[in-house]
Amino acid sequence: MQVLNSLTQLPANAAYDLVVIGAGGAGMAAALFAALDGQRVLLVERTAHVGGTTAWSAGTTWVPGTHHAAQVNPGDTLAEAARYLNNAIGDRTPAALRQAFLDHGAAAIRLLEDRTELKFRPYPKHPDYISDLGGSTLNGRALEPLPFDGRLLGELFPLVRPPIPEFTVLGGMMVDRTDINHLLALTQSFASFKHALKIIARHGMDRLSHPRGTRLVMGNALVARLLFSLSKHAHVTLVLNTSVERFERDSAGVTGVVLKGQGAASDDRRSVTARGGVVLASGGFNRHPDLRAQLLPGADIAWCPAAPGHTAEAHALARDAGAVYGQGALSNAFWAPVSLRKRADGSTAVFPHFVMDRAKPGMLTVNRKGERFVNESTSYHLFGMAMQATGSVPAWLVCDATALQKYGIGMVRPGASPKDMAPFLADGYLTQGATLADLAQRLGIDAAGLQASVEQMNRYAESGVDPDFQRGVTAYQQNIGDATAGTKNPNLGPLNTAPYYAVQLHPGDIGAATGFVTDGDARVLDAQGQPIAGLYAVGNDMHSIMGGVYTAPGITIGPGLVFGCLAARHAGARSAVVAP
């Protein structure tokens, strides 16, 4: 693979079989599948890093029916997966499009594992998010990338978008769910002590020669594996700090692009021919001010934890070519509750509260009236939607001293000492109250409401039943609770140990659900439902096959990989026809 740091290094009037706009997970996958077919590929990235939001994610990849599923759930079938999606999504998206994903998913994963450095594992228990619906499963469909040794990338290592600093420990050491469990239990188990010692020692050695740890996990591992695989193909070119200015079109459809170098003073441009077509994989509309105002009214861009490259610059070009956005989604974006904190360098850390705190015993979430408004153990997507639907913006995640010590809260880690908590208290990220009334006064919320909500939660914890929001009744909810807490319900526990703590929450859009309408080959369709020849969309540029319903972990990355495969295959066939 040839890596160009600026557009000036790209020859004038270059020609490729496939041009991919955006080097996030879906774009890199489309480029890799095309490379495996022998296509000449140009991968265009507007930032200095590859990976997009995928690099900041858990890297979970939801693809039912793979060879991995048999290891943990041999009874699962594609028919059951289709039944689950039909139950969860209904007619929000075409069933045929979901079926295309199911029909081709297993083969795409097998091809990646057989011919590239992409390697996955099934997690022993990783339930679908709406686990009370028919067709759902507890495991087998969600795959996780294996950890990757970043040192294998050599000089390419700095290209991988670094993880969110607040998701690392010890100055840049990445940890996944397995690592976290071992670190928390390192004084209780020899196996955990051994695991923790091994990764900490590795990190210490890394820091002697690298600015961060090279043991990559989760989304960073997935992106690094994609990059390492692409690096083995001489007919792939990656150009960074470059955006697309316009599409070249003729009667046959989209035939190429005009690229522009990044930077206010840049006047560098290159015309590039794309014989097979152009794949849009720019990450969605989330950082486009006008589209946010239209599609996500009231959601401040400061609450968005997505990567910086998702500006939708190419969306206007696609719409000019006839592309249309999908309709009927439950939501135009996928959501998670987030907390915000200013970093020392002046930037803002946007921390998604996925699974580590809000669903645990001794935690509850309230609005300004001090009242609960949501099942705290529901999926992060439904949590974020509930915040908006009930007008509970901002909201506050509240816990007692016992829960904070055991689980942490947001950016405050489990087992935090007074010294550890001092900076968070000083800058207001974390609020502490000697009593619930004191906490409410400091937060500016109704004290009587908070007191009543906590007393009610304590009664529910004693009975194990939450009659208001049915917290902890599904397998998914119980999985992100704490089965070791000794409570009747793994998601319910009392708040009775002072002092009390709270972190403010906002609904953060973690990715676009609304994108361009496509067919089963990821071809972009016009308003009449006809393919726009030579134009494809994958990842968050493609209208989600989930219709704005967050059905399971990894439902953006999984379809991104599979439709990246289908787009590359179709474009490859087209390129073979039009090649000179």
Side-chain angles (χ1 to χ4, degrees):
M1 180 177 69
Q2 183 182 25
V3 178
L4 311 179
N5 289 311
S6 73
L7 184 61
T8 58
Q9 298 171 280
L10 187 70
N13 300 313
Y16 295 87
D17 296 306
L18 188 68
V19 174
V20 181
I21 307 300
M28 295 176 78
L32 180 57
F33 281 114
L36 290 173
D37 283 343
Q39 298 180 51
R40 291 192 70 228
V41 182
L42 177 64
L43 181 58
V44 181
E45 171 57 40
R46 73 180 304 276
T47 74
H49 295 96
V50 301
T53 299
T54 298
W56 286 353
S57 74
T60 306
T61 304
W62 196 78
V63 181
T66 68
H67 56 287
H68 290 293
Q71 301 175 37
V72 294
N73 192 359
D76 192 23
T77 65
L78 291 183
E80 279 296 278
R83 183 164 77 96
Y84 173 59
L85 294 180
N86 290 340
N87 286 335
I89 302 166
D91 60 0
R92 294 187 184 278
T93 60
L97 203 58
R98 303 196 295 265
Q99 194 62 48
F101 164 66
L102 295 175
D103 288 344
H104 297 281
I109 294 298
R110 174 65 83 177
L111 178 61
L112 288 174
E113 293 205 313
D114 285 351
R115 297 185 58 192
T116 81
E117 295 299 320
L118 268 288
K119 308 296 176 188
F120 297 95
R121 64 188 175 196
Y123 206 78
K125 190 173 184 181
H126 214 337
D128 293 332
Y129 283 176
I130 317 175
S131 57
D132 53 337
L133 285 183
S136 65
T137 64
L138 299 181
N139 51 17
R141 297 172 182 170
L143 307 177
E144 298 187 348
L146 292 182
F148 182 74
D149 186 349
R151 295 173 297 190
L152 296 175
L153 287 170
E155 62 184 14
L156 297 179
F157 177 61
L159 298 185
V160 178
R161 184 173 299 282
I164 298 173
E166 291 74 21
F167 275 32
T168 67
V169 298
L170 302 178
M173 183 176 84
M174 294 196 70
V175 290
D176 60 16
R177 183 165 39 172
T178 300
D179 299 328
I180 292 170
N181 290 336
H182 281 303
L183 288 168
L184 292 175
L186 67 88
T187 62
Q188 305 165 23
S189 158
F190 178 72
S192 291
F193 175 80
K194 183 178 178 182
H195 181 96
L197 182 62
K198 181 179 179 181
I199 63 174
I200 291 172
R202 160 72 183 275
H203 181 64
M205 294 298 295
D206 280 345
R207 291 310 304 271
L208 295 177
S209 55
H210 295 86
R212 68 181 180 101
T214 62
R215 178 182 175 269
L216 307 183
V217 298
M218 302 190 298
N220 246 227
L222 181 60
V223 168
R225 287 181 174 278
L226 285 165
L227 181 61
F228 190 51
S229 300
L230 284 167
S231 73
K232 298 178 180 296
H233 293 274
H235 44 288
V236 173
T237 299
L238 167 64
V239 59
L240 302 165
N241 304 302
T242 299
S243 58
V244 58
E245 185 173 70
R246 73 173 186 269
F247 293 155
E248 299 280 27
R249 290 185 282 162
D250 63 17
S251 59
V254 176
T255 60
V257 294
V258 173
L259 302 177
K260 179 181 178 181
Q262 286 285 53
S266 176
D267 58 0
D268 301 316
R269 287 171 175 78
R270 294 288 190 276
S271 180
V272 176
T273 297
R275 288 185 288 262
V278 175
V279 176
L280 287 181
S282 65
F285 67 84
N286 297 67
R287 294 196 176 277
H288 190 287
D290 294 338
L291 290 172
R292 282 191 72 84
Q294 175 187 343
L295 300 174
L296 306 177
D300 195 318
I301 195 169
W303 306 340
C304 176
H310 302 167
T311 61
E313 286 184 2
H315 281 218
L317 307 180
R319 295 168 78 177
D320 286 345
V324 294
Y325 287 129
Q327 303 294 321
L330 176 67
S331 174
N332 290 320
F334 297 116
W335 300 92
V338 301
S339 54
L340 313 175
R341 186 181 186 225
K342 282 289 184 183
R343 299 188 179 109
D345 64 2
S347 63
T348 299
V350 184
F351 186 94
H353 292 247
F354 290 132
V355 298
M356 297 305 295
D357 50 20
R358 59 185 174 80
K360 299 295 192 292
M363 301 263 180
L364 83 164
T365 304
V366 298
N367 56 23
R368 290 190 183 277
K369 295 180 180 179
E371 299 171 345
R372 293 176 67 212
F373 61 90
V374 67
N375 177 346
E376 294 91 343
S377 301
T378 194
S379 75
Y380 39 88
H381 177 55
L382 293 179
F383 194 115
M385 289 187 65
M387 293 180 72
Q388 298 169 85
T390 62
S392 302
V393 181
W396 288 266
L397 178 60
V398 178
C399 70
D400 71 353
T402 298
L404 185 143
Q405 283 298 302
K406 191 168 186 179
Y407 309 115
I409 182 170
M411 302 183 209
V412 183
R413 303 278 163 74
S417 67
K419 182 179 179 181
D420 295 329
M421 286 188 282
F424 297 96
L425 292 167
D427 64 19
Y429 173 78
L430 180 68
T431 302
Q432 175 183 299
T435 65
L436 289 170
D438 181 31
L439 180 66
Q441 188 275 326
R442 293 173 184 273
L443 296 175
I445 67 176
D446 186 81
L450 178 60
Q451 183 73 44
S453 293
V454 170
E455 290 175 355
Q456 189 178 60
M457 175 57 68
N458 291 350
R459 292 194 298 272
Y460 295 167
E462 186 175 349
S463 68
V465 177
D466 172 13
D468 296 329
F469 296 100
Q470 293 75 52
R471 179 169 163 179
V473 301
T474 71
Y476 164 74
Q477 295 172 34
Q478 293 164 11
N479 188 57
I480 62 173
D482 182 5
T484 70
T487 56
K488 291 183 179 179
N489 183 322
N491 300 99
L492 298 177
L495 288 77
N496 51 23
T497 307
Y500 299 91
Y501 299 91
V503 167
Q504 189 177 91
L505 302 178
H506 293 87
D509 49 301
I510 58 176
T514 290
F516 293 119
V517 177
T518 65
D519 67 6
D521 289 312
R523 294 185 295 177
V524 176
L525 305 181
D526 62 19
Q528 288 72 47
Q530 297 302 306
I532 300 170
L535 186 61
Y536 304 82
V538 298
N540 289 350
D541 283 348
M542 174 185 177
H543 191 63
S544 172
I545 63 170
M546 303 300 171
V549 180
Y550 219 117
T551 53
I555 52 89
T556 55
I557 295 177
L561 297 186
V562 175
F563 283 102
C565 175
L566 295 173
R569 182 178 301 166
H570 190 278
R574 187 170 183 270
S575 177
V577 171
V578 303

